[in-house]
Amino acid sequence: MDQDSHCTAERELLEAVSRITTSSTRSPSDEEENQPKAEISCQVRKENPGKDDTQDSSATLSPNSSMTTKELQEYWRNEKRQCKQIKLLFEIPSTRIVEHHLSKYVMYKIIILQTGSFDSNKSVIERRYSDFEKLHRNLLEEFSEEMEDVTFPKKTLTGNFTEEIINERKLAFKDYLRLLYSMKYIRRSKKFIDFLTRPELQEAYGCLRGGQYTKALEILLEVIRLQERLTRGNPVAVVPTLCAIVVCHKDLENPASAFEYGEKALSRLCVHTSHRYYIPLLETMITLAYELGKDFLSLQEKLEEWKTKKDPVRVFTLKELAVREYVQ
């Protein structure tokens, strides 16, 4: 392509980009306003809690007019990859009654789906009435104003195990979770996320401490998918779970898989080098890279750079850190 043709193509692309950017700021049509809003997560920008979730990324990121045609194409490809509409749906399709020697209670099966995804991406957990009740009590303490109009199914003295009451509570808890998730500050709160993930994480770390790495890994791989969906605005939050997965793979002699998850964890700590997991993870990654024949010198340089900036302190190994998580 000659120079004039190249310039013409570049001008046309810039004009198209300008039209796209302009159209993204227009007022939504009636049809669009009736569509359910979804949280937009853009890892390329920091979350501004004062802004609405659905704020267009073009307001904070705009293509530089000096970009070449190739750079502009790559820019918009990255935009599409990094900005995704995220919305979770909650279903409670079934229950089961659990009987122990001195207690009897109902477990509610909760299926958490991401809109626009296949069933393979669903997360399945179980919670009992007392778990929901504890969540409600905790949220009332921190979000009294937001929770003012949120109703919670009351306990009954009799009939808790009848089919009618159980079905009523299934519908009530489904609506309850949907409503909580619709409120930005609640769905991002540690208390809400803990309700959906903490019991499974406690079980997984218990297995890890007991040397049951296969069982621990199985649970952690299930939890991490849900954790990542719930913590889109705070990617560092999943670092401990990713590192626990690294530990399990390493002890199960799967260095390639351990390295893969270690890279995911390290990418989330690139600007958080003071995080307690950063140096133990870096040391583990150096060992794994050497074992796998990968480049470990760049990792070694990062470690040495950190040591020159920080005062020498005792640092736990990655496994020592992992086994300390969720210790009661």
Side-chain angles (χ1 to χ4, degrees):
M1 179 183 292
D2 57 30
Q3 184 174 0
D4 290 342
S5 299
H6 177 80
C7 291
T8 300
E10 184 171 339
R11 281 197 302 273
E12 290 176 353
L13 181 58
L14 284 170
E15 290 173 1
V17 168
S18 177
R19 287 196 298 272
I20 293 171
T21 305
T22 302
S23 64
S24 68
T25 60
R26 65 178 174 84
S27 299
S29 63
D30 292 339
E31 181 180 353
E32 289 170 332
E33 287 182 343
N34 290 330
Q35 295 297 320
K37 291 184 178 179
E39 180 176 1
I40 295 180
S41 171
C42 301
Q43 295 181 0
V44 295
R45 64 174 173 84
K46 291 185 178 180
E47 182 68 34
N48 184 347
K51 300 293 183 182
D52 189 80
D53 286 342
T54 56
Q55 181 179 2
D56 196 320
S57 63
S58 64
T60 55
L61 277 175
S62 59
N64 190 318
S65 60
S66 64
M67 287 180 173
T68 65
T69 303
K70 183 177 180 181
E71 287 172 338
L72 279 168
Q73 291 171 339
E74 183 62 27
Y75 173 86
W76 288 113
R77 276 197 294 268
N78 288 334
E79 283 291 275
K80 288 180 180 179
R81 283 197 297 264
Q82 292 169 340
C83 298
K84 301 177 181 179
Q85 289 190 334
I86 304 299
K87 186 177 181 182
L88 298 184
L89 302 176
F90 298 87
E91 298 290 342
I92 304 181
S94 62
T95 61
R96 64 186 179 94
I97 296 176
V98 178
E99 293 190 61
H100 291 303
H101 295 298
L102 300 175
S103 64
K104 180 180 179 182
Y105 53 87
V106 179
M107 293 294 289
Y108 296 85
K109 181 179 181 180
I110 305 169
I111 297 179
I112 306 163
L113 296 162
Q114 182 175 316
T115 56
S117 64
F118 296 104
D119 287 344
S120 59
N121 292 323
K122 69 184 179 183
S123 298
V124 181
I125 59 176
E126 283 189 317
R127 297 293 183 266
R128 54 188 292 188
Y129 181 95
S130 60
D131 296 324
F132 282 97
E133 189 177 40
K134 181 180 178 181
L135 169 65
H136 189 71
R137 189 167 56 249
N138 289 339
L139 291 176
L140 281 173
E141 292 176 359
E142 187 174 351
F143 304 101
S144 57
E145 186 176 342
E146 291 86 344
M147 298 288 292
E148 186 176 4
D149 297 324
V150 178
T151 58
F152 187 81
K154 296 180 180 180
K155 276 186 176 179
T156 58
L157 295 177
T158 60
N160 287 310
F161 302 101
T162 64
E163 185 177 354
E164 181 182 1
I165 293 295
I166 290 174
N167 286 333
E168 284 180 3
R169 286 184 176 173
K170 277 169 55 178
L171 294 174
F173 285 143
K174 174 186 172 180
D175 290 339
Y176 178 73
L177 291 173
R178 177 190 57 78
L179 183 57
L180 293 182
Y181 184 77
S182 71
M183 294 184 276
K184 179 172 66 174
Y185 297 110
I186 289 182
R187 71 168 169 264
R188 293 178 182 174
S189 70
K190 185 178 185 299
K191 291 175 180 177
F192 181 68
I193 294 172
D194 277 352
F195 168 79
L196 296 171
T197 61
R198 188 178 180 90
E200 287 72 24
L201 286 171
Q202 287 177 321
E203 181 184 0
Y205 279 99
C207 292
L208 193 156
R209 283 189 288 272
Q212 298 174 283
Y213 302 115
T214 301
K215 180 63 176 176
L217 183 60
E218 178 185 339
I219 301 171
L220 290 168
L221 291 175
E222 288 290 328
V223 176
I224 191 65
R225 292 201 297 268
L226 178 56
Q227 264 191 313
E228 287 177 331
R229 295 172 192 161
L230 292 167
T231 60
R232 293 275 177 170
N234 182 21
V236 177
V238 301
V239 166
T241 306
L242 287 171
C243 288
I245 292 173
V246 172
V247 169
C248 289
H249 274 306
K250 191 171 183 295
D251 281 7
L252 290 170
E253 299 182 356
N254 299 325
S257 296
F259 191 84
E260 175 189 348
Y261 281 93
E263 283 187 315
K264 292 180 181 179
L266 206 55
S267 69
R268 287 161 169 79
L269 295 178
C270 58
V271 293
H272 300 278
T273 57
S274 60
H275 195 282
R276 71 187 189 280
Y277 270 91
Y278 181 69
I279 293 305
L281 176 60
L282 206 51
E283 291 175 336
T284 300
M285 290 295 285
I286 291 170
T287 301
L288 290 168
Y290 182 80
E291 183 180 349
L292 294 167
K294 295 180 179 290
D295 172 33
F296 65 89
L297 293 179
S298 59
L299 297 170
Q300 188 70 47
E301 288 174 2
K302 290 180 181 179
L303 180 61
E304 295 301 324
E305 180 184 356
W306 185 91
K307 287 181 178 179
T308 60
K309 293 180 179 179
K310 303 287 184 179
D311 294 330
V313 293
R314 181 175 185 271
V315 178
F316 292 110
T317 66
L318 197 66
K319 188 172 183 178
E320 287 173 338
L321 272 181
V323 298
R324 283 168 168 75
E325 294 283 351
Y326 294 95
V327 174
Q328 298 298 327

